[in-house]
Amino acid sequence: LKRLLVPAMAAAFRAKGWYVQLIIEDAETMHEIILEQAEEQHKNDQKQKGTKERFDPSVFEPLPEGSRYVTEISIAPPWLRAAYSKLAPVSMSDFAHCKPTRTSMFGGITGGKIFQGGNM
């Protein structure tokens, strides 16, 4: 049941006219992503510590075969495209690629959008 929940919800939104995009990775691809990110984190840790231990990918067990992982979800209401220019004729976006910190294992991307309405 859990396996079908996100795609089923996406289908329900699409049936109501919403834009929905899911990026779903299989177990093998997700394992590769995990290894790439773990190796990058290992390099960062080694640089910070001043050591040169080799990365050991064998500590990461393969993910269960047949598993699928949602790595990205985009969703927008059906009226957004038509109303966007009227709601926010002036806007600015800024995205930042964040580096890992001591409390986060992986970096990420954060984004912000500022809108200015026509009556401002």
Side-chain angles (χ1 to χ4, degrees):
L1 181 64
K2 287 181 186 178
R3 206 178 274 204
L4 302 174
L5 186 59
V6 173
M9 289 176 67
F13 274 102
R14 285 186 191 112
K16 294 294 183 182
W18 284 60
Y19 167 82
V20 181
Q21 180 182 12
L22 299 176
I23 305 293
I24 301 175
E25 305 292 354
D26 62 19
E28 185 177 332
T29 303
M30 193 65 196
H31 186 69
E32 290 172 15
I33 291 169
I34 290 169
L35 288 178
E36 286 174 15
Q37 292 181 350
E39 186 171 15
E40 185 65 31
Q41 181 68 44
H42 178 77
K43 286 178 187 175
N44 291 339
D45 290 347
Q46 295 303 303
K47 189 182 228 182
Q48 189 176 34
K49 293 175 188 174
T51 59
K52 293 191 178 196
E53 295 174 23
R54 290 174 43 100
F55 175 70
D56 181 10
S58 68
V59 299
F60 295 89
E61 295 182 16
L63 299 170
E65 193 173 318
S67 296
R68 295 171 52 196
Y69 300 86
V70 176
T71 58
E72 184 179 327
I73 299 174
S74 299
I75 185 168
W79 49 263
L80 184 63
R81 190 172 298 203
Y84 188 76
S85 63
K86 293 174 182 66
L87 292 173
V90 178
S91 68
M92 180 192 77
S93 299
D94 187 25
F95 289 85
H97 299 272
C98 305
K99 292 187 175 185
T101 65
R102 272 189 268 167
T103 58
S104 69
M105 187 167 179
F106 307 114
I109 298 174
T110 185
K113 189 157 193 79
I114 299 171
F115 299 97
Q116 179 175 337
N119 295 329
M120 297 180 113

